[in-house]
């Protein structure tokens, strides 16, 4: 309900048919859709047998659900920042330009820089910075990058010894395999 109220308030303030209102709506709609999808993939992963315990087919299902979970989780964050960019475009169009399609191809850091420059002491700026720079969000994007660009994260499935039937992952999944 709060999600819909925020959407209604912002689009009413910006004008539902204005470019800024439409950009915000695209981001906010994506935030809701991707967030809901992320929850569904999280439930799917939780229902699957642990990695390594259900053979190749089980591992494949776990990998697919994990990649989809990471993709949608990261997309949720990007949609939030796209919505913020839309709001910024209404309030500070010189900092958040929208005249050309290429101007809408940005990264989170560009949005953060625009908010920090334009509204340095506002709560929204501090909230976006804290969220984007949180270790959990950084880890999520790193895991997504590994999963979507390099296959699956490197891991070892131990048979025998003190780690028997445990799966380990490196502390830095982007490190070279021999590290």
């Amino acid at each position: 309900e709060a999600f819909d109220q925020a959407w209604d308030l912002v689009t009413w303030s910006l004008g539902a048919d204005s470019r800024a209102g439409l950009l915000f709506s695209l981001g906010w709609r994506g935030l809701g859709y991707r967030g809901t999808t992320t929850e569904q993939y999280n439930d799917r992963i939780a229902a699957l047998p642990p990695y390594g315990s259900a053979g190749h087919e089980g591992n494949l299902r776990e990998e697919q659900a994990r990649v989809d979970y990471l993709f949608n989780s990261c997309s949720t964050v990007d949609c939030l920042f796209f919505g913020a960019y839309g709001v910024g475009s209404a309030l500070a169009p010189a900092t958040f330009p929208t005249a050309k399609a290429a101007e809408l191809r940005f990264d989170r850091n560009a949005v953060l820089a625009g908010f920090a420059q334009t509204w340095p002491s506002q709560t929204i700026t501090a909230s976006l910075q804290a969220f984007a720079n949180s270790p959990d969000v950084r880890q999520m994007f790193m895991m997504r990058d590994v999963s979507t660009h390099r296959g699956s994260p490197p891991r070892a499935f131990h048979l025998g010894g003190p780690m028997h039937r445990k799966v380990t992952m490196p502390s830095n999944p982007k490190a070279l395999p021999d590290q």
Side-chain angles (χ1 to χ4, degrees):
E1 186 176 321
F3 180 85
D4 291 335
Q5 289 174 346
W7 191 346
D8 291 341
L9 178 63
V10 174
T11 55
W12 178 81
S13 297
L14 298 178
D17 294 328
S18 71
R19 179 172 289 170
L22 293 170
L23 290 172
F24 168 78
S25 289
L26 285 171
W28 203 250
R29 184 179 300 123
L31 174 71
Y33 171 79
R34 295 293 186 192
T36 300
T37 304
T38 296
E39 289 178 11
Q40 292 172 354
Y41 280 112
N42 184 59
D43 293 344
R44 185 177 297 172
I45 291 168
L48 290 169
Y51 186 85
S53 66
H56 179 70
E57 184 66 28
N59 292 347
L60 177 63
R61 285 193 308 276
E62 191 270 345
E63 286 287 327
Q64 288 172 325
R66 186 178 43 73
V67 167
D68 290 337
Y69 169 83
L70 290 166
F71 172 82
N72 282 285
S73 295
C74 293
S75 181
T76 300
V77 174
D78 288 339
C79 287
L80 172 67
F81 278 82
F82 192 82
Y85 192 93
V87 172
S89 74
L91 303 174
T95 305
F96 301 94
T98 63
K100 300 175 188 165
E103 294 169 331
L104 299 178
R105 297 176 193 260
F106 58 86
D107 62 23
R108 290 174 306 284
N109 291 328
V111 176
L112 290 173
F115 270 78
Q117 171 191 337
T118 309
W119 304 288
S121 60
Q122 295 297 314
T123 302
I124 185 73
T125 301
S127 296
L128 287 171
Q129 288 171 333
F131 181 66
N133 294 321
S134 78
D136 291 339
V137 169
R138 288 179 184 269
Q139 177 80 9
M140 180 178 67
F141 274 91
M142 182 172 66
M143 294 302 296
R144 189 268 328 252
D145 292 348
V146 169
S147 295
T148 58
H149 301 301
R150 294 187 185 177
S152 65
R155 52 183 153 204
F157 183 63
H158 299 273
L159 295 174
M163 297 291 288
H164 182 65
R165 300 204 53 82
K166 295 199 180 322
V167 177
T168 57
M169 293 183 66
S171 59
N172 179 6
K174 288 190 173 187
L176 295 173
D178 63 349
Q179 298 175 344

